[in-house]
Amino acid sequence: MDGFKESGLMKVGSYSSMAELDDLDLSRLLDKPKLNIERQRSFDERSMSELSINVRALENYDSMCSPRGFRSGFDTPASSARNSFEPHPMVSEAWEALRKSLVYFRGQPVGTIAANDHGSEEVLNYDQVFVRDFVPSALAFLMNGEPEIVKNFLLKTLYLQGWEKKVDRFKLGEGVMPASFKVLHDPGRKIDTLIADFGESAIGRVAPVDSGFWWIILLRAYTKSTGDLSLAETPECQKGMRLILALCLSEGFDTFPTLLCADGCSMIDRRMGIYGYPIEIQALFFMALRCALSMLKHDAEGKEFVERIVKRLHALSYHMRSYFWLDFQQLNDIYRYKTEEYSHTAVNKFNVIPDSIPDWVFDFMPNRGGYFIGNVSPARMDFRWFALGNFVAILSSLSTPEQSMAIMDLLEERWEELVGEMPLKITYPAIENHEWRIVTGCDPKNTRWSYHNGGSWPVLLWLLTAACIKTGRPQIARRAIEHAENRLLKDGWPEYYDGKLGRYIGKQARKFQTWSIAGYLVAKMMLEDPSHLGMISLEEDKAMKPLIKRSASWTC
């Protein structure tokens, strides 16, 4: 890993392009007093173009460059220093806790541990650096003008990707990124050693599908934030992206453009009945493809992947926007489905039996609003709401502007169910009774309204805030953050909360959970400076927009 030459990772400070000018214009647009981002309900299509980064030309890698000129001292959050108003007292406490979670390899910070809970009896793997967990920490450091730790993390995980990966004599795909890694310090010999987990030690022994996607998304965020094009352009990073893409773009027996995945392969890392085509993975897949498309070189090897990505994006966006989308009109259509339809003219393409629609959906679905359901496969539709997948759909523009607005409408209409007293429900509703026994395998951690089974996760604040800013409705995020500020610090930054409203600290929740801390910081910094959104948001690609015949549940 140390073979990467620093001289090849120069920052590009004077780089300029038309796309960069678009990004710089964003800051001026956001400062204009005439832009009303306090409106209670926004049905104004201009909000998307005014609040989003312009990346219409996805193939143009120049659009990645948006260098930020600030840098702060180690102990002073730059986002607070740049504003004249007094930050919330929790902010400084959060930064202190985040810095205590830093992990060092040979004297260099390379990530943050999952939790710094000294009161916990069992450490398990919470003392490791998880790829998905580190993303909000990385964004916090990028927004604070401290990109070095993010670069170190990207390079170390890239190094680990090159390891041979075996589980019970079975070799994993070459492009699999680790779920987590640990640094072992030997003070006597003065040696640091990296140990990676690709799923062989994980609960359930499931390899992470999302790690590779988060890695690509974070590489783009780093490049967008710093303007350091050279990191993504190194042969090592280009190869790392191609290896990840080779895994998920492979052609086989599947007739869908979505990715077939096992239970436990993502943030929902316990058995929760998401086997098939879970929304979280499909949204991350879509976003990673778009990020990779903007960073891959158009050389002999990269050009082939660019062509495959473009084809997959068109198919994936059509499939998701058409078959995963649910609003009042679409629910009514499914309710009236005929079954056993044959040939390409079939309306009920997946042979979903209307009697399989759970009763709760009819009461949950408002007249205005909609969302991407959890899963679609033959004879099955999982109608549960999954927060991460829907927010990533907004940020990646997998959802159309109309669908993005409908998701925010649903959130407002069903505030008690989805936000409650502690943001934010990871999934809704909880699985109970006999169904819980079958679906979760009686997992005691996933009892109703706890952990992944309807628990409330503060880390989701940053995704909610980003989605709110992109859709021009920051007041929703402010309301959710105020709820969190009433409890988070006092409760010791728990991993998750239990109960229908999220009133109780999770029964087995770790305290000082790093991504709960970082998620709060990122949400606060994005509200202070909405131009940070450009790191993690992609504007809609008009060329990819298919003709959708179904209702989008969005009317003026």
Side-chain angles (χ1 to χ4, degrees):
M1 192 68 266
D2 295 341
F4 285 96
K5 294 182 179 178
E6 291 297 323
S7 59
L9 302 175
M10 293 165 32
K11 285 191 179 180
V12 181
S14 58
Y15 190 93
S16 180
S17 69
M18 289 303 294
E20 179 188 344
L21 293 176
D22 286 340
D23 286 346
L24 295 176
D25 285 339
L26 174 71
S27 303
R28 291 195 286 271
L29 280 171
L30 290 166
D31 290 334
K32 286 183 180 179
K34 68 178 182 180
L35 178 61
N36 177 18
I37 59 173
E38 293 288 345
R39 52 188 180 277
Q40 291 301 306
R41 290 192 181 279
S42 170
F43 297 104
D44 187 348
E45 290 184 4
R46 290 176 301 171
S47 61
M48 286 294 289
S49 59
E50 288 179 335
L51 284 171
S52 301
I53 299 298
N54 178 12
V55 287
R56 290 186 297 271
L58 273 177
E59 293 80 3
N60 185 2
Y61 183 46
D62 292 348
S63 65
M64 297 298 298
C65 187
S66 178
R68 307 189 62 83
F70 64 87
R71 186 165 180 84
S72 72
F74 188 76
D75 296 318
T76 306
S79 61
S80 300
R82 295 196 312 276
N83 292 278
S84 57
F85 60 86
E86 188 70 25
H88 194 281
M90 268 178 63
V91 171
S92 59
E93 296 276 358
W95 274 110
E96 183 179 351
L98 180 60
R99 297 197 190 283
K100 286 181 179 178
S101 72
L102 283 169
V103 173
Y104 291 84
F105 179 79
R106 297 177 185 172
Q108 296 294 319
V110 293
T112 51
I113 58 174
N116 203 10
D117 187 358
H118 297 295
S120 177
E121 295 179 1
E122 289 184 296
V123 175
L124 295 177
N125 54 2
Y126 282 82
D127 62 345
Q128 298 186 24
V129 180
F130 279 81
V131 173
R132 75 174 69 98
D133 289 43
F134 180 67
V135 171
S137 296
L139 294 177
F141 285 118
L142 287 174
M143 292 177 185
N144 200 45
E146 301 175 57
E148 287 304 309
I149 180 177
V150 182
K151 184 168 80 170
N152 294 340
F153 170 85
L154 289 167
L155 293 176
K156 284 292 176 282
T157 46
L158 185 62
Y159 165 69
L160 295 171
Q161 182 197 39
W163 285 15
E164 185 179 72
K165 302 168 275 285
K166 282 188 176 180
V167 179
D168 292 336
R169 300 183 182 183
F170 182 73
K171 189 176 179 180
L172 276 67
E174 192 179 358
V176 173
M177 279 286 183
S180 63
F181 66 86
K182 185 173 183 177
V183 178
L184 291 182
H185 302 285
D186 186 339
R189 299 170 60 193
K190 296 183 179 179
I191 293 176
D192 287 350
T193 307
L194 285 175
I195 298 179
D197 178 13
F198 293 92
E200 71 272 24
S201 300
I203 295 173
R205 298 302 187 266
V206 179
V209 176
D210 61 339
S211 290
F213 298 151
W214 279 123
W215 187 88
I216 292 175
I217 292 166
L218 186 56
L219 178 62
R220 187 257 181 190
Y222 170 87
T223 308
K224 192 73 177 174
S225 172
T226 64
D228 179 7
L229 304 174
S230 60
L231 177 61
E233 289 179 343
T234 59
E236 294 85 359
C237 282
Q238 291 288 310
K239 181 182 178 182
M241 283 190 283
R242 291 196 303 268
L243 287 175
I244 295 168
L245 295 169
L247 276 178
C248 56
L249 291 175
S250 59
E251 296 172 344
F253 289 98
D254 208 327
T255 59
F256 311 143
T258 41
L259 276 183
L260 182 62
C261 300
D263 257 317
C265 68
S266 60
M267 182 181 176
I268 311 290
D269 62 3
R270 295 283 185 110
R271 182 174 164 188
M272 269 290 288
I274 63 170
Y275 179 89
Y277 307 90
I279 178 60
E280 176 178 331
I281 290 297
Q282 312 315 318
L284 286 171
F285 179 31
F286 183 87
M287 188 165 193
L289 288 179
R290 291 198 64 191
C291 290
L293 187 61
S294 65
M295 293 186 293
L296 281 171
K297 289 183 177 179
H298 287 228
D299 53 19
E301 293 175 296
K303 193 173 181 180
E304 177 196 349
F305 279 97
V306 167
E307 293 171 356
R308 292 168 68 183
I309 289 171
V310 170
K311 290 179 182 178
R312 191 63 166 262
L313 282 171
H314 279 274
L316 185 59
S317 62
Y318 178 83
H319 185 93
M320 297 300 297
R321 293 171 180 178
S322 301
Y323 304 124
F324 274 68
W325 181 253
L326 189 73
D327 56 22
F328 182 82
Q329 182 59 53
Q330 177 62 8
L331 179 59
N332 209 152
D333 291 346
I334 297 171
Y335 179 66
R336 291 168 49 81
Y337 266 170
K338 294 180 175 62
T339 58
E340 300 299 322
E341 293 182 295
Y342 179 73
S343 89
H344 64 278
T345 59
V347 175
N348 185 2
K349 294 186 183 340
F350 302 102
N351 199 38
V352 174
I353 312 299
D355 287 349
S356 69
I357 305 174
D359 292 338
W360 67 264
V361 179
F362 296 102
D363 295 327
F364 178 72
M365 180 60 68
N367 290 330
R368 181 181 61 213
Y371 64 104
F372 290 101
I373 63 174
N375 220 318
V376 175
S377 56
R380 180 199 177 200
M381 297 183 82
D382 183 348
F383 290 91
R384 285 177 294 174
W385 152 273
F386 288 87
L388 194 151
N390 275 273
F391 293 146
V392 172
I394 292 175
L395 296 176
S396 64
S397 289
L398 171 60
S399 57
T400 65
E402 296 83 3
Q403 288 173 334
S404 296
M405 291 297 182
I407 292 170
M408 303 312 295
D409 286 342
L410 176 83
L411 200 66
E412 286 193 306
E413 292 288 338
R414 295 292 176 257
W415 184 267
E416 288 297 305
E417 293 93 333
L418 302 181
V419 182
E421 294 187 21
M422 176 54 70
L424 192 69
K425 285 283 176 231
I426 190 172
T427 183
Y428 180 89
I431 302 173
E432 304 183 65
N433 305 321
H434 184 59
E435 184 186 9
W436 168 79
R437 295 177 183 276
I438 296 172
V439 171
T440 73
C442 297
D443 188 344
K445 197 166 186 178
N446 268 339
T447 55
R448 63 175 189 167
W449 308 114
S450 180
Y451 201 49
H452 297 316
N453 190 15
S456 297
W457 293 70
V459 64
L460 296 171
L461 272 174
W462 80 264
L463 286 153
L464 168 65
T465 302
C468 288
I469 293 172
K470 184 168 184 178
T471 54
R473 294 156 90 162
Q475 75 283 350
I476 298 177
R478 289 197 185 96
R479 183 181 174 190
I481 290 171
E482 285 174 6
H483 279 303
E485 287 177 336
N486 290 332
R487 294 277 307 272
L488 265 182
L489 178 61
K490 182 177 67 175
D491 293 341
W493 307 100
E495 179 183 14
Y496 61 92
Y497 285 77
D498 285 355
K500 274 192 174 183
L501 297 177
R503 295 181 63 194
Y504 304 97
I505 298 173
K507 188 181 294 185
Q508 297 188 46
R510 292 299 195 278
K511 298 289 188 74
F512 290 94
Q513 185 79 13
T514 304
W515 69 355
S516 296
I517 297 164
Y520 167 73
L521 284 172
V522 172
K524 292 289 282 188
M525 284 191 281
M526 274 196 291
L527 278 182
E528 288 179 17
D529 182 0
S531 69
H532 287 314
L533 179 68
M535 288 186 212
I536 203 71
S537 175
L538 295 161
E539 182 58 284
E540 184 182 28
D541 180 11
K542 300 296 183 182
M544 198 163 44
K545 187 173 183 179
L547 177 64
I548 297 180
K549 298 179 180 179
R550 291 177 174 169
S551 166
S553 173
W554 186 74
T555 55
C556 293

